[in-house]
Structures are given as structure tokens and as C-alpha cells.
Amino acid sequence: MPKILMIALDGATLDLLNPWMAGGELPLLKRLFDEGAGGELLSTVPWATPTAFASLATGTNPGQHGIYDFGKLIGGDYTAFVPTNGRHIIGHSLWKLLSDAGLSSLVINMPMTYPAEAINGRLVAGIPYPGSSPQLCHPQNLLRELADHGWDLARNASDDLGGSYADYFAGLIELVKTRGEAGAWLLQQDQPDFTALHFLETDQAQHRFWQFMKGEPRHDPNGPHTDAILRLYHVVEQAMAQILAAVDDDTILCVMSDHGFGPTRHQVWLNNWLHQNGFLALKPGLGVRFKQMLYRLGLSPATIREAAPERLKLAILQFFERQKGRALASELEADNAVQKKGLLDRLTERLAIDFYDLDWSQTCAFSTGTTAVGYVWLNVAGRDPQGIVQIGEDYEQTRQQIAAALRQWGAVGEVLFREEVWQGVQLTDAPDIIVRWAADTTDARYFQTRFSSHHLIKPVPNDYASHRPDGMFVWHGSGVREGLQVDADLLDLTPTFLWLLDQPVPTYMDGRILTDCFTLDHPAKTIEIALPTAATSDQMTPEDEEALKNTLRGLGYLE
């Protein structure tokens, strides 16, 4: 029986890798594709980190595992937010199934694995997580053991890596090197049956440095960040080489990404559209009317920040980026940046329309979420705190009415109902309508309960990049077909891992076994396993919840 090594390059896209491989820039990845089998890997809907990695861990779609976003709204006024993490996933993780079968696993920084499961092997949790929690790893002394060798796997790309682009990039490089060294050492020590190791740094580098690439508005041929993403991939290949040197010859390698990537040109505010079309109502009070007047004059939080004097704006950005652990949009250092930011941020918070200003007795739909697709939630009686849409005919008529109106909006490419996208017993927790935008360069940022702009859609002030549905994968090793170009679905990987390890595939898994990628000839086995109906009742402390929120701010998903 072979061993399996999976290396997850978060957000890696063939749009970048193919020309770099063809140009000789990425010789290791080129060799893997030339000698192996791979191609595009279709992500989940949405093509976002929490849903994709929850699906990879369980082999199921969000309708079964219940993770639709980095968080969800709770509370009677719709403004409380709880970040999702591993304790919210409904289902059995791959490494738990392998443990129950007597096989060992090594899991390093895989997203949505906090709190760390007790498995036959070792596990260091990945984002989002509170960095000081004793539940960050299994066994609990693992991080201390790694620290004795100079490796801190509790740090990640959402942390404060420095106040400038140069500092942030240097921090990403150091994280990649650390994980490569630590991963190779752990592999040599454990020789596990299955290993999963995740590099978040590829995702974050693309978010931040795509804007400097050739063809982008901020491109400067002689600029210091023009080739930052490629330089990071050079270091990733070095780390991969270290890791590959630590595995046995009979190990089958899978390199994959959870989604693709591309530039962002426009940002959309779906709640503004819902308000303008009569599906979302604001309170009639004087304070809200005053805010509306300011918005009509163009005085929204986004425009205030964009219209500020350049030096003040850069000082504000500096504070925001340091708070988020993300790169600064300038190298400027301002001595009084904190005071300037504090005044302006407090002003925009006071002037912003948010969910506190909604008249829920007249609101039949609202939107929130961190994903590239748009989520519309009907305000359903009996499900939502102040729901007014009745289950049954009222629900269906309202949903059809909103969908028909959305299809008339030029920014919209496709409108789907949740049962058309996902399947499973957790469908009741899903958004009611899913909007795919007409242009893949359109994005809806942040877990929005604040109306940051008065626009429906507008160009982004900084040309960041965002997720795309097509990731990548490649198999390499003994028994893998050589030079095969083939596309697959992310849900296909987990049943294929089990098949390669001669384990039965649970019948509830949604993907197929990728037998066409291999010359191996052994039968597939299935097994009936009952799925849990609810997530663990293990509750987060307020401190842990705030720490998880800070991680999401660092990743750019919360304001």
C-alpha cells in the first residue's frame, strides 16, 4: 500500500503556473505535470477557503457539512457574528476515518481544523484559530517541540508580518521556509500513511501583489513588487523539494489548490440593490434619514476614505493593514497615523448605515457573506429572529420575485436557488438565493453588515485580486499515468485518497474516485457510515471568538 502526501497551495492557479512552467521558472511543478496526471480542479460553491477545505476534509458538499462561509449571523438584531471553524463542520474528517482504520496521519496547518482532533498521528491546526489556544495542536506538546527546533507553526499569513509591502513579503517567505523545514522534519520522524500540508502564503501573496503584475493598473516594470508572486513560488518550490526529499519512494504525491485566482475590478453591494428594489427597508427615524442624505451626497465610509488627503489616506491604510496583518499600500510612515485613523474611523462608523438601521418588520431579504458569489437570505418567520416571510407559498413567491428582479440587473450572470447548488440535510442553514456575477472580476468583500458604500457596483480603489472557481491539481508517483491532462472536482480527491490507501469509501461522499489518473488495478470498496446530524456542542470562549475574528480581519474578510 502506498503512502500519500498532499501539498495544498492555497489559491494556486494555472493561469499563472502554466506560463511560468513553460518559461522554465517553476521546474519542480513542470516536472510533476510532465511526469504525472493533472489539470484544473473545480472548487466548491462558493470557491472560498472554509467551504473548500471543509469539503476536502469530509468528501462532502456544503449541503452535508454545513459550512457556507467564514461565519454566520446570530442574535436577535442580526448584527452578532460567529466565526466558523472546525467545530462547526458536520461529518467525519479524512484523518479521523484513517485513524479509526489504524492508519497514521500528519496534518499541518490545514484550514478549518481548529480545534485539533485527537488522531493517530500529529496535527497542527490551520486558519482560523486563536494562536494561544491549547487546542491548536495534537498532541498538545507538539508546538513546543517544534519551537525547540526554531519553528513556529502557530504563525500564519494573517498575522502582523510588517507595515510595508516589503516587510509583509519577507514575512511570507519566512513562513514558507519554516513550514518546509518543519514539515520535512516531521515526515522524517513519523513516516505517516497520509500527510496533508497547507501553504496559505500563495493565496495571500496573490491577494496583495497581483496588482503589481504586468497588465495591471499599478504595474511598474522596474517596481520592487512586480515579480513578488513568482519569487514566492520559487521559495515554495524549494520548500516542496525539502518535503519530497523526506518521503519514501512509494509515496504518491498530490499537489492541489482549493480555488483559483484573478484580478478584481469592481466591488458590488447587494444590500443596496435589495434596498433600491424594495426588498430591504430602513428605519424611518431622523438619524437614519440623515445618514441616507449623506449617502446621496456621496458621503459613505468608502468615499470618505477614498477622498481623504493622500497623506492622511495612507496613514489610515497603514493602521488598517497593521491591524489586519496585511501589507500597506505605501511605504509611508506617519508618526500620528493612529490618531488620524481613530478620528476618521469613528466618523465613518457614526455615519454608516448598518444592520442596526434596518426595519426588520418590513425587510423580506438581506445579504451578507465573505464569498465571491452573492448570498441573499430571506427573512423567514420561525427561522430568523424577526422573520416576516412565511414558509410555504409566501417563501416561494418572494424568492421567485427577488430572483426575477436580480436577473434584470446587468451585473448578475446567474441566479440560483440553494437546492440547485447544494444537497444534504444541512441545506436548511444555507442562503436562499445564490448570485453569480456576470464578470469574474466582480467581487463582494467582507462579511458586510455595514453599508460601506452608496453604490450598487463601482471600481475598486485598489486593484486587489480575488478567488476564481478553477484551482489546480497534479498526481505524481508510482502508479500515476504519465503526462495525462485531465480535469476534476475538488470533491473527487478525498474518495481517491481512501481508494489509494485501500480503504472503503463512505457512500455519503459526493465525489468520484479518479481511477483514470492511475495505472493501478484494485477494486473500489464502499461502506455505510452514519453521519452526525449536528456539529459538536463544544463552545468557544469570548476570547477565542474574538481571536478568530481577528484572523478573519487579517485575511481581509471582516472590516
Side-chain angles (χ1 to χ4, degrees):
M1 182 182 70
K3 295 178 180 178
I4 305 294
L5 167 61
M6 187 196 77
I7 298 177
L9 305 181
D10 202 301
T13 173
L14 292 177
D15 290 345
L16 295 182
L17 299 186
N18 276 338
W20 287 341
M21 288 189 291
E25 292 285 0
L26 300 176
L28 175 55
L29 282 169
K30 185 178 189 307
R31 179 173 66 82
L32 297 179
F33 274 94
D34 287 347
E35 299 175 357
E40 289 188 346
L41 188 70
L42 183 64
S43 185
T44 52
V45 178
W47 36 96
T49 298
T51 48
F53 278 106
S55 288
L56 183 68
T58 61
T60 61
N61 80 94
Q64 293 208 69
H65 61 62
I67 303 297
Y68 298 97
D69 206 339
F70 262 124
K72 56 185 177 181
L73 295 178
I74 59 172
D77 59 4
Y78 300 80
T79 60
F81 163 83
V82 59
T84 53
N85 55 85
R87 59 166 53 86
H88 298 110
I89 297 176
I90 299 172
H92 308 292
S93 70
L94 170 62
W95 28 94
K96 182 61 174 174
L97 291 175
L98 295 177
S99 292
D100 292 344
L103 301 182
S104 59
S105 294
L106 173 63
V107 182
I108 302 175
N109 292 140
M110 291 290 290
M112 302 298 288
T113 53
Y114 175 83
E117 284 185 280
I119 62 172
N120 178 21
R122 300 203 264 192
L123 187 154
V124 180
I127 61 163
Y129 58 80
S132 59
S133 171
Q135 296 178 290
L136 188 54
C137 61
H138 170 81
Q140 289 192 4
N141 65 347
L142 176 55
L143 287 176
R144 289 194 299 272
E145 182 180 356
L146 294 172
D148 290 340
H149 292 80
W151 301 313
D152 183 3
L153 293 190
R155 297 188 71 232
N156 67 73
S158 71
D159 292 334
D160 186 356
L161 301 180
S164 70
Y165 275 125
D167 290 340
Y168 187 74
F169 183 76
L172 293 180
I173 295 295
E174 182 60 31
L175 289 174
V176 171
K177 290 180 177 179
T178 297
R179 198 167 299 105
E181 294 169 2
W185 182 81
L186 286 167
L187 273 165
Q188 289 173 335
Q189 295 289 312
D190 296 0
Q191 293 297 313
D193 297 298
F194 176 81
T195 300
L197 188 148
H198 175 257
F199 287 99
L200 177 63
E201 293 75 23
T202 46
D203 173 275
Q204 291 297 284
Q206 291 169 167
H207 272 302
R208 307 306 292 174
F209 294 102
W210 195 294
Q211 58 188 317
F212 301 113
M213 296 179 66
K214 186 177 180 180
E216 296 302 307
R218 298 191 68 186
H219 173 68
D220 176 358
N222 301 312
H225 311 306
T226 300
D227 61 348
I229 299 174
L230 176 57
R231 284 187 284 132
L232 182 90
Y233 271 98
H234 287 162
V235 180
V236 167
E237 279 211 335
Q238 294 169 14
M240 289 173 58
Q242 283 183 291
I243 293 165
L244 292 174
V247 300
D248 296 338
D249 291 339
D250 64 347
T251 297
I252 293 178
L253 170 67
C254 176
V255 181
M256 57 78 64
S257 65
D258 54 327
H259 52 74
F261 240 89
T264 301
R265 304 293 186 227
H266 290 83
Q267 184 174 3
V268 65
W269 283 269
L270 191 47
N271 278 319
N272 289 346
W273 182 91
L274 290 168
H275 174 54
Q276 290 186 19
N277 285 270
F279 301 113
L280 180 151
L282 299 176
K283 292 176 181 177
L286 181 62
V288 176
R289 288 203 299 269
F290 177 69
K291 291 181 181 181
Q292 286 182 280
M293 181 191 71
L294 294 177
Y295 271 53
R296 285 193 292 270
L297 294 173
L299 295 177
S300 66
T303 54
I304 290 173
R305 286 196 289 267
E306 293 167 20
E310 191 66 18
R311 187 173 179 84
L312 174 59
K313 183 162 55 177
L314 292 174
I316 295 162
L317 281 172
Q318 180 184 51
F319 183 87
F320 283 157
E321 301 300 347
R322 282 184 169 172
Q323 288 297 99
K324 297 175 180 179
R326 301 184 64 178
L328 174 64
S330 168
E331 305 295 329
L332 176 69
E333 293 288 341
D335 293 336
N336 56 347
V338 173
Q339 289 95 331
K340 290 181 178 179
K341 177 269 163 187
L343 290 173
L344 193 64
D345 193 50
R346 284 196 293 272
L347 174 63
T348 57
E349 286 179 354
R350 293 290 183 88
L351 297 180
I353 297 173
D354 59 26
F355 275 17
Y356 287 110
D357 298 315
L358 298 194
D359 182 352
W360 292 104
S361 68
Q362 300 297 318
T363 292
C364 63
F366 59 97
S367 176
T368 191
T370 68
T371 71
V373 297
Y375 281 170
V376 177
W377 307 80
L378 269 59
N379 191 22
V380 178
R383 183 188 74 179
D384 300 306
Q386 302 177 52
I388 62 170
V389 178
Q390 301 297 320
I391 292 292
E393 184 178 353
D394 184 25
Y395 174 90
E396 293 302 333
Q397 288 182 349
T398 302
R399 195 166 64 154
Q400 291 286 354
Q401 182 183 5
I402 294 172
L406 279 168
R407 293 186 180 108
Q408 301 304 308
W409 185 14
V412 172
E414 187 177 22
V415 180
L416 299 167
F417 296 149
R418 60 187 184 182
E419 63 271 17
E420 298 177 288
V421 179
W422 306 296
Q423 301 79 42
V425 296
Q426 307 307 322
L427 198 60
T428 54
D429 294 330
D432 302 283
I433 299 173
I434 300 91
V435 181
R436 298 187 67 161
W437 307 111
D440 59 8
T441 54
T442 298
D443 198 5
R445 299 182 188 173
Y446 302 117
F447 202 93
Q448 295 173 338
T449 59
R450 181 190 301 178
F451 292 51
S452 298
S453 174
H454 62 292
H455 294 280
L456 295 183
I457 184 171
K458 68 184 292 289
V460 293
N462 294 293
D463 298 281
Y464 299 139
S466 54
H467 298 180
R468 298 288 188 273
D470 294 321
M472 52 74 66
F473 79 106
V474 61
W475 298 98
H476 185 273
S478 178
V480 178
R481 294 190 185 277
E482 183 173 338
L484 176 66
Q485 295 185 10
V486 60
D487 297 336
D489 191 292
L490 184 142
L491 288 166
D492 300 334
L493 295 184
T494 305
T496 304
F497 291 142
L498 289 168
W499 172 72
L500 288 170
L501 293 169
D502 199 27
Q503 296 300 305
V505 177
T507 54
Y508 61 72
M509 288 192 175
D510 293 309
R512 67 184 182 91
I513 300 173
L514 298 173
T515 54
D516 49 342
C517 292
F518 302 89
T519 60
L520 304 174
D521 185 21
H522 66 265
K525 298 175 288 186
T526 60
I527 188 172
E528 293 281 347
I529 301 177
L531 278 173
T533 58
T536 174
S537 60
D538 181 25
Q539 298 296 314
M540 287 182 287
T541 65
E543 293 77 17
D544 279 0
E545 187 173 313
E546 186 59 31
L548 291 177
K549 290 180 181 178
N550 286 335
T551 297
L552 299 185
R553 292 185 185 100
L555 295 170
Y557 293 113
L558 287 181
E559 290 186 301

